[in-house]
Amino acid sequence: MLVVTRKPSQSIVIGDEIEVVVLAVHGEQVRLGIRAPKSVPVHRKEVLEKIKRGGPKSGQDEEASSG
């Protein structure tokens, strides 16, 4: 596992097409922005596990990005 330290508005790049940006840090909560091609599925881990189990996909809209 690669461990990096970033401040708000700093980012890391995965491959050539995925960028993870630290948007804000509030106490123990970190808000991240993810830029990736639409062909790359991006889910929170707990949502992905629910999808794999065949559970309801009610969180699908919550995962969609606006840009």
Side-chain angles (χ1 to χ4, degrees), residues 13-67:
V13 177
I14 302 169
D16 291 332
E17 298 181 313
I18 301 171
E19 181 180 14
V20 180
V21 182
V22 178
L23 300 176
V25 179
H26 299 288
E28 293 185 14
Q29 189 174 51
V30 178
R31 178 169 270 197
L32 301 174
I34 302 168
R35 289 190 188 107
K38 291 194 180 283
S39 61
V40 176
V42 178
H43 301 286
R44 294 188 327 257
K45 185 175 181 178
E46 63 272 17
V47 172
L48 179 61
E49 289 170 353
K50 189 179 285 188
I51 291 169
K52 285 181 176 181
R53 287 193 308 266
K57 297 179 182 176
S58 60
Q60 197 169 24
D61 289 341
E62 189 177 327
E63 294 295 316
S65 68
S66 60

Side-chain angles (χ1 to χ4, degrees), residues 5-18:
T5 302
R6 301 278 74 199
K7 295 178 182 176
S9 77
Q10 293 182 331
S11 63
I12 62 167
V13 177
I14 302 169
D16 291 332
E17 298 181 313
I18 301 171

